[in-house]
Amino acid sequence: SAYRLMGDVLVVDGQVSKAIGSLQAGLQISADAADHINECSAHQALGAAQLWLSNLEHSDAHFVSCIALSTLSNQIEQLGHATAGRGRVAIVIGRFDDGLDFL
């Protein structure tokens, strides 16, 4: 969606906090449309943005949501990205064994 694209542009421009608002709007539109693929993609982007801001619980929650949606829609690539995202969160928290299992 346009909100997702705007969020991506803001992330690249270093405006991660502003990007989260755009990404959340894109997430809501995808959820309302039951578009699991784009909803998962939005969760993945939000997880990465929250990780960048060190909001680790929020980040992990978005990656978990993406894993559930990607499993539901059989999107293996998104499942891999979200699982790796959970691994990065686990490593930042200091749970190295869990992080390596996810990665």
Side-chain angles (χ1 to χ4, degrees):
S1 75
Y3 287 107
R4 168 66 202 278
L5 292 174
M6 177 58 86
D8 289 345
V9 167
L10 289 168
V11 167
V12 169
D13 193 35
Q15 300 179 47
V16 179
S17 294
K18 288 182 182 178
I20 288 174
S22 292
L23 293 169
Q24 287 175 329
L27 172 65
Q28 188 60 54
I29 290 168
S30 297
D32 289 346
D35 181 351
H36 300 305
I37 295 170
N38 283 322
E39 186 178 358
C40 178
S41 180
H43 274 297
Q44 186 177 321
L46 279 162
Q50 293 287 3
L51 180 60
W52 180 261
L53 294 174
S54 296
N55 295 330
L56 303 177
E57 287 182 32
H58 288 26
S59 176
D60 195 51
H62 283 295
F63 288 129
V64 168
S65 294
C66 183
I67 288 169
L69 289 164
S70 62
T71 302
L72 180 68
S73 60
N74 201 28
Q75 295 296 312
I76 303 302
E77 183 176 350
Q78 287 183 325
L79 176 62
H81 288 298
T83 303
R86 289 205 73 203
R88 290 191 305 274
V89 170
I91 287 172
V92 170
I93 291 172
R95 295 184 355 239
F96 298 107
D97 290 340
D98 291 342
L100 292 175
D101 287 343
F102 284 123
L103 294 174

